[in-house]
C-alpha cells in the first residue's frame, strides 16, 4: 500500500536519501537479497513428459492392455498395429501441446532494458534487471518505467498506462498527492508509476518500491503462471465418451469369457475374440479424426483473420454465450478523436473520416488556437505525444490548418506549461500585430480567467448568460462521454511572462472528443445478440464514458446496467455471481476484477469468451473459456495468454469465428455419431455371433482396417461438411449437452444395430451357399473346404460392414434433410472418401498379397451385387425415417 504513504515515510522505510540514492555497495546487497528485477516463469514440460501425459486416457489403457495380450499370445502383427495407433494419437497430442504458453516470456520481453538511476549522488544508466527496491529512478518523456515506483518529484508528468489500466488518455501524475482510500484502482493511483508503462510527457523522479514478481505486472505473471487449464466442453465430452467406451470394452471382454466358459470354447481363441471386441468397441481413429477436423477448421478460420492457437478452442468458441470485451482498442479505436466543436451559438459535428472541411471565422480561430497550443506531432498517419493533442492536430488537418504551416506563420516564443492544479496550458506565438496568447484547458477554469468572447468574428463582453451557455454545452458533451477542452486567446504587443498570460482572455469555444467505437462493431454486436450471445464491456475507464459507448453500441440500455470495480469490492463473491446477469458494463476495474467477473459468469453455467489487447487483459484471457487477443494492437502478453488471435483486430471476426465454431462442432458431432454407429455395428456383429455360438465373422485386423481406413475417410469428410448458414439464428448450444442429445444417440444405436445385423446376414449367407448353414452341427470343421467357406463368408461380412458404413455416411450429413436436400454432391470430399473406400476395399480382396494378409478372397459377381444391396439398406432405411421426421415437424409447425 505504498500509495497511501507520504514520500518521507517511504524514503525512511527504504532507508534512502532521494538526493543521493543508494550506495553501490548497498544496491549490490539488495540485489543479492531480493534477486534480479525480472519476471519468473515455471519450468516447461519436456517432450517426453508431454508424450506420457497423452497416454493418460481410458481408451489408451484398454488398447495398451490389448497390445500386451496380443504380444503374449504371439499375434505380433495385431500388436504392432495397435501400438502404432496409440503412438499416432500421442504424437498428435504432443504436437498441439508443444506450442506452449508464452505469456510469461512475453511479459519478460516487456521490461525495459535500461534505466536512469541515482546512486551515490551520481546519475547513470544501468540494466533495468539490476534495479532494486530503494533505487531513485529518473523519468523523462519516452522512457519506460523499470519497476513499480512511488513518485517523489513530478513536473507535468504524464504516463501512458492503457496496456495496464485500459484508459485511452495518459494519466497525470502528482508526487505530492497522498491517497487515503486503500481500494483505489490502478488508474487513480496518481502518486505511483508502474513497471512497463511509458512516460509520454514531462519529467519526474521516484523511489522503487517493488521489483520483479512483486510489481503489478509481476502479479499478472503469477496469475498466468498459477492457472491450471480447464478442459473445454469438447474435451469433456470426448473424455466422458472415452470412459464409457473403455468400461464397455472391458465389460464385453469379461462377458465373453463368462460365455466362453459355458460354451467350453478354447481360451486362446476367446482371448483373440475379446481383443477383437475391444478393438471393435473403441473408435481408434476418433482422437486423430477430431484433431484433423479441428486442424482443418483452424485453416479455414485463418482465412477469416482468426488464428487459433489451441485446437479445442475452435469448438469452445462455437458454444460461447457471453463475450466479455475490453473497451479500449477492442470496441473502440484507441485513438482520441474530436467529434464536436462549439463556438457561441453554433454546435457542429466532425465526421471521423472528413477532409477538406471549411469552417467559419470563429471555428477556424478555435482550431488555430488549439493546434498552436499543442506539443504533439502527427505525420504519415503516426502521432507522438499526448493523444488529446494528437486529436487536436488531426482536427486541424481536416480543416487544412496544419501544425507545420501554423508554426511557421506563428512562431512560439514562450509558454506556460500545463499543470494539474491550473488544468490549463498557454503558449505565446508571434502574430500579425505583435503576439498572441493561445490557451487551452478545462472549460470551467478557462471561464474564470476570461472577460470577453468571440462571437461572429467580433469580441464582445462575456456575460453570465454566455457562461451558462458554454457550461450547458460542456455538460451535454460530458453526458455523452466526451472529453471537453476549451480554447481562449488574447492579443498583446509585447512578450509576456508566463504568470501574465492567463489573464483577461477571450473565450473562442470548445471541442468534445472521444475514443470512438470501431465502425463495424455495432453490426457485429447486433448479430451476436441475434445468435443468443450477450456482449459485455469490461474497462478501466470511467463509468459514464463506458456506458455512453455501450449505449451507442447497443450493449447496454441504461446506467443501471453498469457497476464499478470499487462497487464489486463491496459485494461478496456469492452475491456478485448471483447479480452478474444484471450488468452489461464493468468500469474502473483492475486485472483482478476482470478475473472475478469472468469467474462469476462461469459460475452461472456460461461459456465465456474474453477479448482484449492489453497487459491488463492477460489474466482474464487465461481464465476465460476462450481468450481472444487482438493481433495488431495486442501486446505480446495478451497474445501469449489467449486461445485465439484476431489478425485484423476486428470485432466482426469474432462473430464469424463463432459461426465457424458452431459449424465445426456440428461437423465433429456428425463424425463422432458416424464412428459410433460403425463401432456399434462391429460390436453387435461380434457379440451376437458369440452368443449364438457362431464362428467369429470378423478378425481383429478387419476391424482395425475398417476403424482406421474405411471409417476415417468419411468421418474426416463429414468434419469438413459445408456449414449451415442458419446456425447463427439458433441459441448457443448448452455446454452440458451430450453428444447423444436431440436423437443422436438413437440414430447411432439404430444405425449400428442395422449394420451389425446385415453383416451377420452376409456372413450367414456366405457359409450357407457353401453348404455350411449355421445352426446345424458341422462335423468337418477342420477340413480345407470349411476353411475356404469360412474365409469366403468372412469376406462377405467384411465387405458388407465396410460398404454399408461408407454409404451410411451420406445419410449422416443431416438429421432431418434428405441427401438430395443437402445436395448429394455438395460435399465433394465425402463422395471422394466413399469412392476411395470402395476402391481400397476392392484392392484388399483382389490383390493376392493383401488378401493373404487379411485372410480374405475375391467374391463372385453375384455375391458382389448382393453385398452392395445389403450395404445400401442402412442408408435407405435412414432416409425413409427422415421422411416421417420431416412430416412430423411440418405437422407440429402447422398446429402451432
Amino acid at each position: 500500500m505504498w500509495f497511501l504513504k507520504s514520500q518521507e515515510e517511504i524514503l525512511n522505510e527504504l532507508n534512502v536519501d532521494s538526493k543521493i540514492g543508494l550506495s553501490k555497495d548497498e544496491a549490490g546487497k539488495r540485489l543479492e537479497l531480493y534477486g534480479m528485477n525480472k519476471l519468473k516463469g515455471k519450468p516447461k514440460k519436456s517432450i517426453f513428459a508431454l508424450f506420457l501425459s497423452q497416454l493418460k486416457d481410458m481408451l489408451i489403457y484398454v488398447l495398451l492392455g490389448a497390445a500386451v495380450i496380443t504380444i503374449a499370445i504371439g499375434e505380433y502383427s495385431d500388436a504392432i498395429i495397435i501400438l502404432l495407433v496409440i503412438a499416432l494419437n500421442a504424437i498428435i497430442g504432443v504436437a498441439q501441446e508443444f506450442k506452449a504458453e508464452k505469456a510469461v516470456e512475453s511479459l519478460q520481453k516487456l521490461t525495459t532494458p535500461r534505466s536512469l538511476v541515482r546512486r551515490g549522488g551520481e546519475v547513470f544508466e544501468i540494466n533495468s534487471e539490476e534495479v532494486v527496491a530503494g533505487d531513485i529512478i529518473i523519468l523523462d518523456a519516452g522512457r519506460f518505467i523499470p519497476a513499480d515506483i512511488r513518485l517523489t518529484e513530478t513536473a507535468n508528468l504524464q504516463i501512458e498506462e492503457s496496456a495496464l489500466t485500459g484508459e485511452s488518455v495518459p494519466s497525470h501524475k502528482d508526487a505530492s498527492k497522498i491517497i487515503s482510500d486503500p481500494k483505489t484502482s490502478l488508474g487513480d493511483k496518481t502518486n505511483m508509476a508502474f513497471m512497463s508503462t511509458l512516460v509520454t510527457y514531462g519529467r519526474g523522479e521516484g523511489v522503487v518500491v517493488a521489483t520483479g514478481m512483486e510489481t503489478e505486472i509481476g502479479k499478472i505473471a503469477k496469475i498466468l503462471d498459477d492457472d491450471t487449464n480447464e478442459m473445454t466442453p469438447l474435451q469433456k465430452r470426448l473424455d466422458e465418451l472415452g470412459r464409457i467406451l473403455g468400461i464397455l470394452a472391458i465389460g464385453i471382454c469379461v462377458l465373453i469369457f463368462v460365455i466362453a466358459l459355458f460354451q467350453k470354447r478354447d481360451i486362446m481363441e476367446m482371448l483373440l475374440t475379446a481383443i477383437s471386441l475391444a478393438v471393435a468397441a473403441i473408435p481408434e481413429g476418433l482422437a486423430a479424426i477430431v484433431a484433423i477436423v479441428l486442424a482443418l477448421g483452424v485453416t479455414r478460420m485463418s482465412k477469416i483473420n482468426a488464428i487459433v492457437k489451441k485446437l479445442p478452442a475452435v469448438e469452445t468458441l462455437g458454444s460461447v454465450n457471453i463475450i466479455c470485451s475490453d473497451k479500449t482498442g477492442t470496441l473502440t479505436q484507441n485513438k482520441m478523436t474530436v467529434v464536436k466543436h462549439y463556438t457561441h451559438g453554433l454546435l457542429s459535428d466532425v465526421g471521423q473520416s472528413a477532409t477538406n472541411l471549411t469552417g467559419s471565422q470563429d471555428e477556424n480561430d478555435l482550431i488555430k488556437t488549439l493546434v498552436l497550443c499543442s506539443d504533439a506531432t502527427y505525420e504519415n498517419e503516426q502521432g507522438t505525444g499526448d493523444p488529446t493533442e494528437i486529436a487536436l492536430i488531426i482536427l486541424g488537418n481536416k480543416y487544412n490548418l496544419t501544425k507545420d504551416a501554423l508554426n511557421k506563420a506563428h512562431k512560439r516564443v514562450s509558454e506556460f506549461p500545463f499543470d494539474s492544479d491550473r488544468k490549463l496550458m498557454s503558449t505565446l506565438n508571434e502574430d500579425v500585430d505583435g503576439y498572441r496568447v493561445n490557451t487551452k484547458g478545462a472549460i470551467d477554469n478557462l471561464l474564470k480567467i476570461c472577460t470577453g468572447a468571440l462571437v461572429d468574428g467580433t469580441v464582445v463582453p462575456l456575460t453570465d448568460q454566455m457562461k451558462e451557455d458554454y457550461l450547458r454545452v460542456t455538460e451535454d458533451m460530458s453526458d455523452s462521454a466526451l472529453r471537453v477542452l476549451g480554447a481562449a486567446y488574447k492579443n498583446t504587443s509585447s512578450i509576456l511572462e508566463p504568470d501574465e498570460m492567463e489573464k483577461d482572455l477571450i473565450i473562442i469555444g470548445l471541442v468534445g472528443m472521444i475514443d470512438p467505437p470501431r465502425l463495424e462493431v455495432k453490426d457485429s454486436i447486433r448479430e451476436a445478440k441475434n445468435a443468443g450471445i450477450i456482449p459485455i464491456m469490461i474497462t478501466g475507464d470511467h463509468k459514464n464514458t463506458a456506458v455512453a459507448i455501450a449505449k451507442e453500441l447497443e450493449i447496454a440500455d441504461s446506467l443501471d446496467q453498469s457497476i464499478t470495480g470499487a462497487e464489486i469490492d463491496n459485494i461478496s463473491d456469492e452475491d456478485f455471481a448471483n447479480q452478474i446477469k444484471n450488468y452489461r458494463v464493468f468500469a474502473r476495474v483492475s486485472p483482478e476484477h476482470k478475473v472475478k467477473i469472468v469467474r462469476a459468469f462461469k459460475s452461472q453455467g456460461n461459456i465465456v469468451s474474453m477479448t482484449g489487447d492489453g497487459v491488463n487483459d492477460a489474466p482474464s484471457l487465461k481464465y476465460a473459456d476462450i481468450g481472444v487477443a487482438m493481433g495488431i494492437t495486442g501486446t505480446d502478453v495478451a497474445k501469449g495468454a489467449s486461445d485465439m488471435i484476431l489478425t485484423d483486430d476486428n470485432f466482426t471476426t469474432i462473430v464469424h469465428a463463432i459461426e465457424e465454431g458452431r459449424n465445426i462442432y456440428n461437423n465433429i458431432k456428425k463424425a463422432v455419431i458416424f464412428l459410433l454407429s460403425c463401432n456399434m455395428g462391429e460390436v453387435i456383429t461380434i457379440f451376437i455371433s458369440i452368443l449364438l455360438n457362431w464362428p467369429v465373422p470378423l478378425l481383429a485386423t478387419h476391424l482395425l482396417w475398417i476403424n482406421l481406413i474405411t471409417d476415417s475417410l468419411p468421418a474426416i469428410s463429414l468434419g469438413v461438411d459445408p456449414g449451415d448458414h442458419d446456425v447463427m439464428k439458433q441459441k448457443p448450444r448448452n455446454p452440458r449437452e451430450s453428444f447423444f442429445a436431440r436423437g443422436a444417440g438413437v440414430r447411432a444405436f439404430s444405425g449400428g444395430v442395422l449394420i451389425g445385423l446385415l453383416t451377420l446376414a452376409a456372413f450367414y449367407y456366405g457359409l450357407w451357399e457353401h453348404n455350411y448353414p449355421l445352426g446345424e452341427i458341422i462335423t468337418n470343421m477342420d477340413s480345407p473346404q470349411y476353411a475356404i467357406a469360412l474365409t469366403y463368408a468372412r469376406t462377405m461380412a467384411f465387405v458388407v460392414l465396410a460398404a454399408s458404413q461408407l454409404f451410411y455416411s451420406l445419410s449422416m450429413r443431416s438429421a432431418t434433410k434428405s441427401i438430395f436436400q443437402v445436395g448429394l454432391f455438395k460435399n465433394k470430399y465425402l463422395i471422394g472418401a466413399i469412392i476411395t473406400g470402395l476402391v481400397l476395399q476392392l484392392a484388399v480382396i483382389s490383390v493376392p498379397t493383401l488378401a493373404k494378409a487379411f485372410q480374405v478372397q475375391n467374391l463372385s459377381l453375384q455375391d458382389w451385387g448382393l453385398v452392395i444391396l445389403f450395404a445400401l439398406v442402412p442408408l435407405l432405411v435412414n432416409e425413409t425415417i427422415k421422411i416421417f421426421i420431416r412430416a412430423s415437424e411440418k405437422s407440429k409447425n402447422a398446429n402451432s
Side-chain angles (χ1 to χ4, degrees):
M1 296 291 186
W2 300 100
F3 61 93
L4 299 173
K5 300 177 181 179
S6 68
Q7 300 168 25
E8 292 75 18
E9 286 178 284
I10 288 166
L11 291 169
N12 287 335
E13 195 171 326
L14 293 169
N15 194 22
V16 63
D17 183 338
S18 63
K19 303 298 179 189
I20 299 171
L22 298 172
S23 67
K24 291 182 181 178
D25 289 343
E26 178 62 23
K29 288 177 185 175
R30 294 190 185 190
L31 185 64
E32 194 174 328
L33 181 62
Y34 299 112
M36 300 288 278
N37 177 34
K38 62 180 182 179
L39 305 174
K40 300 182 179 72
K42 58 186 175 185
K44 302 294 180 186
K45 281 185 179 180
S46 68
I47 293 178
F48 182 67
L50 283 174
F51 184 86
L52 289 179
S53 69
Q54 304 303 313
L55 303 179
K56 296 175 183 176
D57 183 270
M58 188 69 176
L59 293 179
I60 300 299
Y61 294 154
V62 175
L63 287 176
L64 282 170
V68 169
I69 294 168
T70 50
I71 291 170
I73 61 176
E75 295 290 334
Y76 299 116
S77 59
D78 286 357
I80 289 168
I81 293 171
I82 293 170
L83 290 171
L84 282 173
V85 169
I86 294 168
L88 176 66
N89 284 337
I91 289 166
I92 289 172
V94 169
Q96 297 309 321
E97 283 200 33
F98 193 64
K99 297 171 184 175
E101 294 293 337
K102 293 183 180 178
V104 174
E105 293 170 21
S106 299
L107 280 164
Q108 289 172 330
K109 290 177 188 175
L110 271 182
T111 52
T112 177
R114 308 290 290 174
S115 303
L116 275 179
V117 299
R118 182 181 289 125
R119 287 183 180 173
E122 295 179 17
V123 175
F124 51 91
E125 204 171 44
I126 63 168
N127 189 315
S128 70
E129 291 186 352
E130 297 170 7
V131 167
V132 296
D135 261 329
I136 304 300
I137 303 293
I138 315 300
L139 305 174
D140 51 21
R143 196 174 286 277
F144 278 98
I145 311 293
D148 283 4
I149 294 169
R150 171 60 165 90
L151 297 167
T152 54
E153 286 184 25
T154 51
N156 304 317
L157 183 65
Q158 296 178 32
I159 298 179
E160 201 276 306
E161 299 176 328
S162 68
L164 193 62
T165 66
E167 290 199 50
S168 312
V169 179
S171 176
H172 293 274
K173 298 297 181 179
D174 183 358
S176 62
K177 188 164 185 179
I178 298 176
I179 297 164
S180 57
D181 184 2
K183 294 182 179 178
T184 303
S185 65
L186 282 180
D188 293 326
K189 292 177 183 175
T190 53
N191 58 11
M192 296 286 294
F194 300 105
M195 188 185 207
S196 294
T197 56
L198 175 68
V199 178
T200 59
Y201 191 79
R203 58 182 180 78
E205 288 185 13
V207 58
V208 173
V209 294
T211 60
M213 297 300 285
E214 300 307 311
T215 62
E216 292 298 329
I217 288 277
K219 290 175 187 175
I220 293 173
K222 282 180 188 173
I223 293 171
L224 294 175
D225 229 22
D226 292 345
D227 178 57
T228 52
N229 289 318
E230 287 186 33
M231 294 173 78
T232 69
L234 177 62
Q235 287 172 319
K236 289 173 185 174
R237 296 284 83 79
L238 291 175
D239 190 57
E240 173 194 331
L241 186 62
R243 280 199 302 273
I244 292 168
L245 293 175
I247 293 165
L248 180 68
I250 293 168
I252 290 171
C253 290
V254 171
L255 189 59
I256 288 295
F257 270 92
V258 172
I259 294 169
L261 289 172
F262 280 109
Q263 294 179 346
K264 297 180 180 179
R265 291 201 182 202
D266 181 73
I267 294 298
M268 295 305 286
E269 182 192 341
M270 281 301 98
L271 270 175
L272 279 173
T273 304
I275 289 167
S276 296
L277 261 174
V279 169
I282 296 170
E284 289 82 6
L286 181 62
I289 286 166
V290 170
I292 290 165
V293 169
L294 285 171
L296 292 171
V298 165
T299 305
R300 286 211 304 273
M301 291 180 84
S302 67
K303 293 175 183 175
I304 58 167
N305 302 311
I307 304 297
V308 175
K309 291 172 57 192
K310 302 169 188 173
L311 290 186
V314 179
E315 173 272 334
T316 311
L317 196 65
S319 60
V320 160
N321 64 332
I322 299 282
I323 299 179
C324 294
S325 177
D326 184 52
K327 177 183 76 69
T328 306
T330 306
L331 295 171
T332 66
Q333 298 175 20
N334 199 15
K335 184 172 70 177
M336 293 301 288
T337 306
V338 176
V339 292
K340 291 179 185 291
H341 53 66
Y342 175 78
T343 54
H344 193 266
L346 180 62
L347 179 65
S348 302
D349 292 323
V350 183
Q352 283 190 47
S353 55
T355 54
N356 295 319
L357 298 174
T358 304
S360 66
Q361 184 180 340
D362 290 0
E363 289 172 334
N364 287 340
D365 266 344
L366 171 69
I367 295 165
K368 174 183 169 183
T369 291
L370 291 169
V371 173
L372 286 171
C373 190
S374 295
D375 290 326
T377 62
Y378 186 79
E379 292 177 5
N380 302 320
E381 304 294 318
Q382 295 293 320
T384 57
D386 189 302
T388 301
E389 292 191 345
I390 293 171
L392 298 176
I393 293 168
I394 292 172
L395 175 67
N397 292 347
K398 290 177 179 179
Y399 282 85
N400 296 313
L401 295 167
T402 64
K403 183 176 174 65
D404 284 347
L406 288 173
N407 280 345
K408 284 177 184 175
H410 307 282
K411 184 182 175 184
R412 186 186 295 187
V413 293
S414 183
E415 65 182 283
F416 191 4
F418 175 89
D419 71 49
S420 53
D421 292 330
R422 290 168 28 249
K423 294 183 180 177
L424 299 170
M425 173 183 174
S426 296
T427 61
L428 185 66
N429 299 79
E430 293 177 353
D431 207 57
V432 180
D433 299 320
Y435 302 94
R436 171 170 161 149
V437 175
N438 295 292
T439 302
K440 74 174 193 299
I443 190 70
D444 47 353
N445 288 20
L446 205 55
L447 288 172
K448 292 174 185 175
I449 56 174
C450 287
T451 55
L454 187 66
V455 180
D456 296 330
T458 305
V459 177
V460 299
L462 181 63
T463 64
D464 289 341
Q465 180 60 50
M466 293 172 78
K467 285 183 180 180
E468 286 180 20
D469 290 341
Y470 286 114
L471 290 172
R472 176 180 48 76
V473 173
T474 300
E475 190 176 342
D476 290 344
M477 286 188 182
S478 296
D479 288 343
S480 299
L482 299 186
R483 186 176 186 207
V484 182
L485 272 182
Y489 81 101
K490 72 175 179 182
N491 292 317
T492 177
S493 57
S494 59
I495 295 177
L496 301 176
E497 292 297 316
D499 291 345
E500 296 297 315
M501 289 183 189
E502 294 171 359
K503 294 178 181 177
D504 301 323
L505 297 178
I506 300 158
I507 188 150
I508 312 170
L510 48 94
V511 294
M513 62 184 74
I514 197 169
D515 180 10
R518 291 178 177 270
L519 301 176
E520 69 284 344
V521 164
K522 192 170 183 177
D523 289 339
S524 302
I525 285 173
R526 193 176 292 129
E527 188 178 350
K529 288 167 85 171
N530 289 339
I533 299 163
I534 300 170
I536 301 292
M537 179 190 289
I538 302 180
T539 179
D541 222 333
H542 292 279
K543 193 176 189 178
N544 287 350
T545 305
V547 171
I549 295 286
K551 282 182 178 177
E552 187 175 344
L553 293 174
E554 299 178 6
I555 290 175
D557 301 319
S558 67
L559 198 64
D560 295 337
Q561 291 179 300
S562 62
I563 187 171
T564 64
E567 290 168 334
I568 292 171
D569 288 333
N570 295 326
I571 306 173
S572 69
D573 286 356
E574 187 179 349
D575 289 342
F576 181 56
N578 292 332
Q579 296 171 23
I580 193 86
K581 62 181 179 294
N582 300 325
Y583 301 113
R584 296 291 179 270
V585 177
F586 299 87
R588 303 304 282 168
V589 295
S590 67
E592 289 80 9
H593 288 134
K594 292 188 177 190
V595 174
K596 190 174 180 180
I597 291 162
V598 170
R599 279 181 168 163
F601 274 120
K602 288 177 72 173
S603 72
Q604 300 300 303
N606 297 297
I607 298 293
V608 182
S609 167
M610 170 73 188
T611 69
D613 57 0
V615 174
N616 63 327
D617 296 324
S620 44
L621 287 173
K622 187 86 172 179
Y623 275 110
D625 291 291
I626 177 162
V628 183
M630 301 294 129
I632 300 171
T633 58
T635 58
D636 283 346
V637 186
K639 293 173 189 174
S642 68
D643 301 292
M644 189 173 87
I645 300 168
L646 306 183
T647 58
D648 60 354
D649 284 15
N650 193 333
F651 191 89
T652 305
T653 304
I654 298 172
V655 180
H656 292 159
I658 286 173
E659 181 179 348
E660 192 67 48
R662 288 186 178 187
N663 277 320
I664 287 170
Y665 181 84
N666 289 344
N667 286 348
I668 287 173
K669 187 173 178 179
K670 292 175 196 174
V672 169
I673 297 302
F674 168 70
L675 287 172
L676 293 182
S677 296
C678 297
N679 283 65
M680 178 67 74
E682 294 162 17
V683 169
I684 285 170
T685 301
I686 302 290
F687 190 61
I688 291 179
S689 69
I690 299 296
L691 284 177
L692 297 176
N693 204 15
W694 289 5
V696 180
L698 297 159
L699 302 177
T701 47
H702 296 163
L703 296 170
L704 279 169
W705 168 265
I706 288 171
N707 286 358
L708 292 174
I709 307 298
T710 314
D711 290 354
S712 297
L713 293 175
I716 293 168
S717 302
L718 286 170
V720 294
D721 206 32
D724 182 358
H725 297 298
D726 293 334
V727 76
M728 288 301 278
K729 294 177 183 177
Q730 301 166 9
K731 297 284 183 188
R733 188 189 69 261
N734 186 331
R736 297 185 183 90
E737 181 181 286
S738 166
F739 268 122
F740 307 112
R742 305 181 192 182
V746 174
R747 289 199 302 278
F749 181 76
S750 60
V753 168
L754 200 54
I755 290 169
L757 292 176
L758 286 162
T759 303
L760 285 168
F763 180 68
Y764 182 93
Y765 180 84
L767 283 173
W768 176 82
E769 72 172 338
H770 283 80
N771 299 314
Y772 290 101
L774 291 165
E776 295 182 15
I777 296 170
I778 301 170
T779 55
N780 56 343
M781 289 180 68
D782 296 329
S783 69
Q785 290 82 5
Y786 177 73
I788 292 168
L790 186 59
T791 299
Y792 195 89
R794 281 176 172 164
T795 304
M796 288 190 72
F798 186 31
V799 175
V800 167
L801 182 63
S804 62
Q805 292 176 0
L806 289 169
F807 292 138
Y808 188 64
S809 65
L810 285 169
S811 192
M812 293 303 297
R813 288 185 59 200
S814 173
T816 56
K817 295 177 182 177
S818 75
I819 58 174
F820 302 105
Q821 286 175 318
V822 294
L824 182 59
F825 299 103
K826 197 172 180 182
N827 188 340
K828 294 181 178 64
Y829 298 109
L830 183 58
I831 300 299
I834 293 168
I835 293 169
T836 304
L838 291 171
V839 169
L840 287 171
Q841 198 65 30
L842 180 62
V844 165
I845 292 165
S846 306
V847 177
T849 309
L850 292 173
K852 187 178 179 182
F854 281 90
Q855 299 177 47
V856 290
Q857 66 180 72
N858 211 339
L859 302 175
S860 67
L861 193 61
Q862 179 185 339
D863 285 343
W864 265 113
L866 185 67
V867 293
I868 294 298
L869 185 63
F870 274 23
L872 285 169
V873 171
L875 169 64
L876 298 173
V877 169
N878 205 37
E879 288 300 301
T880 305
I881 292 169
K882 286 183 189 178
I883 294 171
F884 291 104
I885 292 172
R886 289 195 298 274
S888 175
E889 286 183 355
K890 193 174 181 181
S891 176
K892 282 180 185 176
N893 293 335
N895 292 332
S896 60

